């Protein structure tokens, strides 16, 4: 008990030090983090620092190829904590390579599902997606033949890519000013912070000397240290003239394009799994893996959405559409408790425990509460009802990538599932097993909770697949062949 109390005290002290928060803020944060999460978070932060330092060393002799320079810039920014309001959270905190570029803290995946932001008492409403293979998503568009929206990034497709021509670049523009993520009050703060970093000269070499030629106001340091969101009366708290404001916007776009360039590189999107080796004739499935692949393409109907490719189509194991598979609400999300002002007066979730994530439909109808990297196309407003509660079909590539067998990964938009076996069992039995009673010890085995929302629920490919326990295991075994690292990375 003493050890547990000590670790909770460490959590509170750590968060108070990071935030400069009052005792109440630290106490709130300590109740959200289990004792096991604190040392694991510290370990991830140490690894982020190591990768950043190693990458900064490459600036001494940067590549002479502009594409590789852009990739280097993107990596430097992804591992840069200084681009968050409290200078304590890099993008990589939610997207580390050892976990397939998604959430790298096993204990958070097991408990909270979502991750704390730069203001450590604020948690997101969703689990982090992988940014590997994300740049291969098409620009969001409506396909009338399919009757579906296709493309974009984020669970709700809100990084449409229609402005920059690249959903991954627009996705990179969401977290910096998201109050529950990196928390900056103004995109100009991200540009200002980047102008102070060791990669400034390389950035100017690639994108031009005008990138940071901005007359910064005298209070920019103080203004950028105040967590967002900005007040309604002052939506742009960094006071810039119209030319400097335009220049900051262009530089922010170039920062995002650099990040997307790195995410598209062979370091992040390599196609080096066992499945790829099998396609290349360099490996063979085991008997169980082959059985799982046959089920994946047949009886289990997985391939209808998680496509394994076709003529002229990479096997990306997503069709870039959205679906409501009937996932239950995840009561472990701290977001449900973010319904009163925090130590800084911010209310992330006015709906509190009544919050229901509307997914793509909410984005189309009213934008996203926390961040809006792309403008909503109001011509698509009529599509909102049929997209309510739908979430983008994620790629299954690296779905089982983890640093060790005991590491817990979280799945679906809210992180409700914490094992591949559980989510396959859900697809198989959602409409077969009875509803769970409150606090049922057999939840996820012999019963399921009600869906978070039944709007537009997928009943054609999910819910009653008739798979045996051994067949579920075989599908899991096949999905484990999608983990990158089986073959060496081809840097060409």
């Amino acid at each position: 008990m003493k050890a547990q109390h000590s670790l909770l005290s460490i959590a509170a002290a750590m968060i108070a030090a990071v935030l400069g928060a009052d005792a109440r803020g630290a106490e709130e944060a300590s109740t959200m983090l289990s004792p096991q999460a604190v040392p694991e978070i510290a370990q991830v932060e140490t690894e982020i620092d190591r990768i950043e330092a190693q990458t900064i060393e490459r600036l001494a002799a940067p590549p002479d190829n502009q594409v590789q320079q852009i990739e280097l810039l993107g990596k430097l920014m992804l591992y840069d904590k200084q681009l968050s309001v409290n200078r304590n959270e890099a993008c990589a905190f939610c997207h580390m390579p050892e976990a397939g570029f998604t959430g790298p803290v096993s204990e958070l995946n097991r408990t909270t599902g979502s991750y704390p932001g730069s203001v450590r008492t604020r948690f997101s409403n969703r689990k982090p997606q992988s940014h590997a293979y994300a740049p291969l998503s098409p620009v969001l568009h409506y396909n009338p033949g399919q009757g579906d929206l296709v493309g974009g990034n984020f669970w709700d497709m809100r990084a449409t890519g229609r402005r920059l021509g690249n959903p991954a670049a627009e996705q990179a523009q969401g977290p910096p000013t998201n109050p529950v993520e990196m928390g900056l009050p103004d995109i100009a703060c991200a540009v200002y912070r980047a102008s102070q970093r060791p990669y400034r000269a390389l950035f100017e070499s690639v994108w031009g000397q005008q990138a940071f030629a901005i007359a910064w106001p005298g209070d920019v340091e103080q203004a950028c240290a105040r967590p967002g969101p900005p007040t309604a009366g002052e939506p742009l708290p960094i006071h810039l003239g119209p030319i400097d404001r335009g220049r900051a916007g262009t530089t922010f776009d170039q920062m995002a394009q650099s990040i997307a360039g790195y995410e598209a590189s062979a370091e992040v999107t390599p196609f080096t799994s066992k499945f790829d080796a099998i396609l290349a004739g360099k490996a063979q499935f085991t008997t169980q893996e082959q059985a799982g692949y046959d089920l994946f393409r047949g009886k289990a109907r997985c391939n209808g959405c998680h496509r394994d490719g076709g003529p002229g189509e990479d096997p990306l194991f997503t069709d870039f559409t959205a679906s409501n598979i009937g996932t239950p609400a995840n009561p472990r999300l701290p977001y449900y408790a973010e319904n009163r002002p925090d130590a800084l007066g911010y209310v992330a979730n006015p709906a509190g425990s009544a919050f229901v994530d509307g997914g793509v439909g909410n984005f189309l109808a009213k934008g996203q509460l926390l961040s809006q990297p792309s403008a909503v196309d109001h011509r698509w407003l009529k599509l909102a009802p049929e997209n309510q509660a739908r979430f983008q079909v994620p790629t299954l590539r690296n779905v089982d990538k983890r640093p060790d067998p005991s590491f817990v990964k979280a799945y679906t938009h809210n992180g409700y599932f914490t094992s591949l076996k559980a989510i396959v069992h859900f697809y198989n039995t959602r409409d077969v097993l009875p509803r769970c009673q409150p606090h049922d010890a057999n939840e996820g085995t012999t019963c399921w909770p009600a869906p978070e929302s039944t709007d537009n629920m997928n009943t054609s490919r999910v819910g009653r697949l008739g798979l045996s326990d051994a067949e579920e295991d075989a599908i899991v075994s096949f999905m484990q062949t999608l983990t990158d690292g089986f073959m060496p990375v081809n840097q060409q």
Side-chain angles (χ1 to χ4, degrees):
M1 180 63 74
K2 262 188 184 176
Q4 179 174 342
H5 183 269
S6 172
L7 277 167
L8 285 172
S9 299
I10 290 169
M14 188 170 90
I15 292 155
V18 168
L19 290 177
D22 61 15
R24 186 188 128 201
E27 181 65 28
E28 284 174 354
S30 71
T31 62
M32 293 177 185
L33 294 173
S34 72
Q36 294 84 358
V38 178
E40 197 180 349
I41 289 171
Q43 184 179 354
V44 168
E45 296 285 8
T46 299
E47 178 64 3
I48 288 171
D49 291 341
R50 184 194 70 79
I51 293 173
E52 183 193 32
Q54 187 180 62
T55 310
I56 287 173
E57 288 176 6
R58 293 173 55 194
L59 289 171
D64 57 9
N65 177 281
Q66 190 182 59
V67 171
Q68 292 173 4
Q69 291 170 357
I70 288 172
E71 290 174 4
L72 176 57
L73 282 170
K75 184 173 184 178
L76 285 162
M77 285 183 276
L78 273 173
Y79 287 89
D80 190 352
K81 294 178 182 176
Q82 301 296 315
L83 299 182
S84 63
V85 65
N86 288 314
R87 303 179 186 271
N88 62 340
E89 181 162 288
C91 296
F93 179 64
C94 294
H95 306 278
M96 286 292 277
E98 65 269 21
F101 295 97
T102 184
V105 182
S106 177
E107 184 64 8
L108 292 181
N109 298 340
R110 187 185 72 83
T111 54
T112 60
S114 63
Y115 278 52
S118 181
V119 178
R120 293 302 199 199
T121 53
R122 299 177 183 176
F123 283 69
S124 176
N125 60 332
R126 295 176 184 151
K127 90 158 206 78
Q129 285 180 292
S130 171
H131 65 218
Y133 300 94
L136 302 182
S137 176
V139 171
L140 186 64
H141 60 281
Y142 181 70
N143 183 320
Q146 290 179 224
D148 252 334
L149 286 165
V150 183
N153 272 188
F154 280 124
W155 287 109
D156 57 10
M157 298 174 158
R158 72 184 185 277
T160 68
R162 295 177 74 197
R163 186 173 67 86
L164 295 179
N166 186 334
E170 291 184 27
Q171 185 280 329
Q173 297 187 322
T177 55
N178 187 330
V180 302
E181 294 191 50
M182 299 172 82
L184 291 168
D186 189 322
I187 64 167
C189 292
V191 176
Y192 173 73
R193 295 275 182 92
S195 76
Q196 312 296 304
R197 305 297 292 140
Y199 48 79
R200 172 175 177 156
L202 179 60
F203 195 101
E204 290 172 329
S205 173
V206 171
W207 295 107
Q209 291 291 321
Q210 80 293 333
F212 301 114
I214 295 169
W216 297 107
D219 67 345
V220 65
E221 284 280 1
Q222 297 91 329
C224 289
R226 287 194 292 270
T231 63
E234 194 173 39
L236 298 174
I238 308 306
H239 301 144
L240 299 174
I243 292 175
D244 283 337
R245 175 56 64 178
R247 188 167 287 164
T250 298
T251 303
F252 189 61
D253 287 347
Q254 292 160 346
M255 292 170 66
Q257 288 165 326
S258 300
I259 289 171
Y262 171 63
E263 292 173 349
S265 73
E267 191 172 315
V268 182
T269 301
F271 293 96
T272 58
S273 69
K274 183 176 181 179
F275 180 82
D276 296 300
I278 291 165
L279 290 183
K282 298 176 181 178
Q284 290 185 322
F285 285 128
T286 65
T287 301
Q288 187 183 43
E289 290 166 354
Q290 182 65 62
Y293 188 36
D294 293 342
L295 288 162
F296 185 95
R297 291 179 57 85
K299 182 179 178 181
R301 306 179 195 172
C302 311
N303 203 54
C305 297
H306 297 282
R307 289 183 50 79
D308 64 350
E313 183 183 334
D314 283 325
L316 294 173
F317 292 92
T318 174
D319 63 357
F320 300 107
T321 64
S323 183
N324 176 11
I325 63 168
T327 303
N330 182 359
R332 303 186 303 277
L333 288 175
Y335 188 70
Y336 288 114
E338 295 181 60
N339 62 330
R340 56 195 176 97
D342 64 12
L344 300 164
Y346 174 63
V347 180
N349 175 23
S353 59
F355 170 75
V356 174
D357 197 331
V360 177
N362 268 21
F363 162 62
L364 295 175
K366 48 194 173 188
Q368 223 273 354
L369 177 65
L370 300 171
S371 78
Q372 197 165 306
S374 307
V376 177
D377 186 336
H378 293 292
R379 291 171 295 184
W380 287 347
L381 184 60
K382 62 187 177 186
L383 302 176
E386 65 203 61
N387 281 283
Q388 196 65 23
R390 297 178 81 198
F391 296 89
Q392 189 173 59
V393 176
T395 177
L396 296 183
R397 283 187 170 271
N398 292 313
V399 71
D400 193 56
K401 186 172 177 65
R402 60 190 77 217
D404 61 77
S406 65
F407 183 92
V408 175
K409 292 193 78 169
Y411 300 103
T412 64
H413 69 281
N414 61 11
Y416 172 82
F417 301 97
T418 54
S419 77
L420 279 180
K421 172 68 173 180
I423 194 167
V424 172
H425 187 55
F426 177 77
Y427 270 73
N428 184 29
T429 62
R430 181 196 69 194
D431 300 338
V432 176
L433 298 178
R435 289 277 178 261
C436 294
Q437 298 302 309
H439 312 296
D440 195 315
N442 294 313
E443 180 176 330
T445 306
T446 60
C447 68
W448 292 111
E452 180 179 13
S453 173
T454 56
D455 290 345
N456 304 301
M457 197 163 75
N458 188 330
T459 56
S460 62
R461 291 175 176 155
V462 182
R464 194 182 295 269
L465 302 180
L467 301 171
S468 67
D469 188 63
E471 286 174 327
E472 290 181 0
D473 290 340
I475 292 170
V476 170
S477 184
F478 163 67
M479 288 194 289
Q480 290 169 335
T481 71
L482 303 178
T483 298
D484 283 322
F486 186 86
M487 296 188 292
V489 173
N490 177 6
Q491 294 289 357
Q492 300 302 312

